Amino acid sequence: DTLRESLDRLFIKLRLPNYVIAPRDLESSGTRAGIIALLNTLQPGQPALSSGTTILRGACDAGELRALAARLEEAPLATALPWAALARLMPSETDAEVNYRRMLITSLDDLANVDETAFIDALQRRPYPVLDAALNVVCAQISTRA
């Protein structure tokens, strides 16, 4: 089960009316292992991997990523911590991307120590209007580039 497959399934489920997120929707042991491997292998300035399928552009702190990978080894599944780690891999080329990424990381870091039930509750019930507005700016910029 790859991270991409898990994300694809999650986004399909989230489009269903009144869908209730379950812990298994957010993460499996296979996706956790993939996230840890990714965080441990990423190095700033590293050339594209031989598969060449994905290129990440933006700033990241390799030491911080490895520390997050170590924390993930012991963290329970379906919590905010892996999402907080992945948010650090988001693009940061434009001011809007930097702003959204920073806000998302802060929001997820704030939830990193809550259990899966509280995290899922925050995802489904807590409004994040400022974060949503920042995402809308990024989406608008992306649509003008396309």
Side-chain angles (χ1 to χ4, degrees):
D1 193 31
T2 68
L3 180 58
R4 183 180 182 125
E5 290 167 344
S6 294
L7 290 173
D8 286 345
R9 278 194 306 277
L10 176 60
F11 291 123
I12 289 168
K13 289 177 180 180
L14 290 176
R15 289 181 167 189
L16 299 173
N18 303 316
Y19 184 78
V20 177
I21 299 171
R24 69 182 174 277
D25 296 327
L26 296 178
E27 186 181 22
S28 68
S29 58
T31 55
R32 172 66 62 90
I35 293 168
I36 291 169
L38 175 65
L39 296 176
N40 281 322
T41 57
L42 281 178
Q43 294 294 321
Q46 176 180 330
L49 300 174
S50 60
S51 69
T53 58
T54 303
I55 297 174
L56 301 174
R57 298 188 195 285
C60 68
D61 179 333
E64 180 183 30
L65 296 177
R66 283 191 296 278
L68 285 164
R71 285 179 60 197
L72 282 169
E73 294 279 357
E74 303 300 323
L77 292 174
T79 57
L81 187 59
W83 296 96
L86 291 171
R88 285 162 168 83
L89 303 179
M90 293 181 68
S92 57
E93 293 185 297
T94 68
D95 288 343
E97 289 171 346
V98 169
N99 183 50
Y100 177 67
R101 176 181 158 164
R102 179 186 48 77
M103 291 173 62
L104 182 60
I105 289 169
T106 299
S107 297
L108 291 167
D109 283 350
D110 289 347
L111 294 167
N113 293 317
V114 302
D115 66 17
E116 70 182 35
T117 303
F119 178 51
I120 290 170
D121 187 60
L123 290 176
Q124 292 190 138
R125 292 185 180 84
R126 188 184 303 173
Y128 291 92
V130 176
L131 186 61
D132 290 342
L135 175 59
N136 289 338
V137 171
V138 171
C139 290
Q141 285 184 349
I142 290 170
S143 68
T144 60
R145 286 187 230 159

